[in-house]
Amino acid sequence: MSNIKNNFKIHKPSSLLIITPGYPDKDNSLIMSKFVKEQVEYLKSYFDTVYIISPIPHSFGLFESDKLCHDYTYDNIKIYFPRCYYVPIFYFKKILLDNRLKVIINTIEKNNLKFDVIHAHTTWPSGYIGAKLKEKYHVPSILTIHENGDWFEKEVKMDFPLINYAWENSDVLIRVNNKDIPILKQYNDNTYSIPNGYSSKYKILNKKECRDILNIQQDKKVIFSLGVLIKRKGFNFLIDAIKIILKSNPDILCVIGGSGPLKKKLEKQIHDLKLNNHVLLAGFIQEEQLPIWINACDIFVLPSLSESFGIVQIEAMACGKPVIATYNGGSEEIIISDEYGLLVDPRNAYDLAQKIEIALNKQWDKEKILKYAEQYQWENIASRIVSVYNKTYSENVIFN
C-alpha cells in the first residue's frame, strides 16, 4: 500500500455521463433542473465529451416534457431524452412500475456511449441508476443529493432499500448543505458538502433601466420572490406579510415570479386581502429576464418552508441584493451574517413583515454582498466537483 501511495498519480477522466431527472429542452422553452445545465456549462471544458441522459415519461403527447424534449447536441455535450414508463408509487418497499434503468442502459448501448465517470443528480431514481451503471460498466459513480430538507428527511425515515442502495454504493455522495453530512456519513464515508452555484449572467445592472424595461415605477419599494407556486414555497405567508407592511409602507410592490398549481388560490388570497395593486403574480419568467427582475427590486425574499440550498438567493446576492429568508434548512447556511440578509421564522407572516421593513430601511453594502457571493460562482463550484471526479476516477484506475 505504501508503494501505491508513493507512486500515486492523478488520472483524469475524459468523458462524463450525467443522469438527471430533468434537463432544459433545446430552446429552453421548458426549464427542468436548470441548475444541472448551468453546472454543465462550467464542467464541459474539463472533458472531451459530456453525455446527459434524462428519461421522459411517455404521455401520448399530454405532458409538456413529452412534447418538447427531443435529443440535441451543443458544443461537446450530447443530450438524450429516452421515453420511459413509471408509476411513482412505493408499495411494500417495491416500485410498481419503473423502467428508467432499462431505457438508460438501452440509450447507452444504442449510441455506443463510452464514459469514465457517472454523475447522478437526486437520489431517486438517478442515484440508484448511477450505482447500478457503476456495477455494469465498472466506472465510478458520484451522486449529488439535491432533495429539500423535508424530502431528504422522509427518505431517511423510509429506510427504503433502493434509496439506501444508492447512498451506500455510490463512490461519493455530495450534499448541497453541511447539516446533513453526519447523517449521510452513516451510509457512506465518502460524503462531501459542495453547494450549488450561480452563472455570470447574474450581476449588477442599473436599477432604473431595469425598472423602465419592466414598466415599474421608480418610487416603489419593490420586493421580488421567485419559485414554483406550491405550498412548500410559502408564498401565502409572504402575501399576508405584505398586508401587514402596507399599514406603514403604502408604496410597496411585491412581485412573485413562477407558475404552479397554487396560482388560483394565491390569486384569491390577493383579491380577498385587497392587494391587487401591491402584489403581482408575474407567472413564468424566462431565464434571460431574471437578472432584470432581480436588479429592479430592493430586496429579495425567499419564504420557503423547506430548502436544501436555495439557488435563487445566491443569484440575488450576485446582483448585490440582500435576501430575507426563512430558517428552512438551506438558507441559514447562506445568510450567515446580517450584512447579507436576515432570517425569519417559517410560517410567520408577522416576523416576515417585520424583517422586510427592517431590510427596506437599512443601508446595505452592495460590495460586501457581492464579495461574499463570489464563493458561489459556478467556476469555483465546478472546480471543486472536478477535483472529486479526478480523485475518484484516479483511485478507480489504481485499485481496479
Side-chain angles (χ1 to χ4, degrees), residues 75-91:
D75 300 332
N76 60 331
I77 304 165
K78 298 182 179 181
I79 303 98
Y80 300 91
F81 293 109
R83 289 333 189 238
C84 64
Y85 294 101
Y86 72 93
V87 178
I89 297 175
F90 296 83
Y91 189 68

Side-chain angles (χ1 to χ4, degrees), residues 207 211 220-223 296-300 321-322 360:
K207 184 165 78 171
R211 290 195 177 188
K220 289 285 186 182
K221 292 287 187 181
V222 180
I223 298 162
C297 78
D298 293 290
I299 61 172
F300 183 87
K321 302 298 178 178
L360 289 173

Side-chain angles (χ1 to χ4, degrees), residues 267-282:
E267 285 177 338
K268 184 178 186 304
Q269 181 184 4
I270 293 166
H271 176 76
D272 291 347
L273 293 175
K274 297 180 173 57
L275 294 175
N276 298 77
N277 294 325
H278 299 281
V279 179
L280 169 66
L281 297 183

Side-chain angles (χ1 to χ4, degrees), residues 205-351:
L205 303 174
N206 184 280
K207 184 165 78 171
K208 181 180 183 305
E209 292 177 1
C210 290
R211 290 195 177 188
D212 285 342
I213 292 171
L214 300 172
N215 197 27
I216 295 175
Q217 295 177 6
Q218 298 295 335
D219 60 347
K220 289 285 186 182
K221 292 287 187 181
V222 180
I223 298 162
F224 184 56
S225 192
L226 180 71
V228 182
L229 304 184
I230 55 177
K231 184 177 179 180
R232 179 173 63 84
K233 292 298 183 179
F235 292 124
N236 56 312
F237 298 103
L238 174 57
I239 293 168
D240 284 340
I242 298 303
K243 182 67 175 180
I244 297 168
I245 295 169
L246 271 178
K247 297 174 184 177
S248 56
N249 290 275
D251 292 326
I252 287 288
L253 175 64
C254 175
V255 179
I256 300 173
S259 58
L262 287 188
K263 179 182 178 182
K264 290 189 180 299
K265 188 173 182 179
L266 294 175
E267 285 177 338
K268 184 178 186 304
Q269 181 184 4
I270 293 166
H271 176 76
D272 291 347
L273 293 175
K274 297 180 173 57
L275 294 175
N276 298 77
N277 294 325
H278 299 281
V279 179
L280 169 66
L281 297 183
F284 175 76
I285 298 175
Q286 293 288 342
E287 192 70 19
E288 62 271 14
Q289 290 288 310
L290 279 177
I292 298 174
W293 278 101
I294 293 173
N295 276 281
C297 78
D298 293 290
I299 61 172
F300 183 87
V301 176
L302 185 68
S304 295
L305 309 183
S306 178
E307 293 285 345
S308 62
F309 180 74
I311 297 173
V312 288
Q313 57 197 340
I314 61 170
E315 292 172 343
M317 289 180 177
C319 297
K321 302 298 178 178
V323 175
I324 313 304
T326 57
Y327 292 95
N328 53 44
S331 294
E332 51 266 48
E333 292 191 7
I334 297 173
I335 305 173
I336 58 173
S337 165
D338 59 10
E339 292 180 314
Y340 316 128
L342 301 171
L343 290 166
V344 307
D345 293 329
R347 299 181 176 87
N348 190 329
Y350 289 96
D351 190 23

Side-chain angles (χ1 to χ4, degrees), residues 93 154-164 168 187:
K93 299 205 170 183
K154 286 179 182 178
E155 288 180 327
V156 173
K157 289 181 178 179
M158 281 174 66
D159 193 29
F160 190 70
L162 303 186
I163 289 174
N164 295 349
E168 291 168 356
Y187 298 87

Side-chain angles (χ1 to χ4, degrees), residues 197-209:
Y198 68 86
S199 75
S200 58
K201 65 189 170 193
Y202 292 96
K203 58 188 176 182
I204 289 183
L205 303 174
N206 184 280
K207 184 165 78 171
K208 181 180 183 305
E209 292 177 1

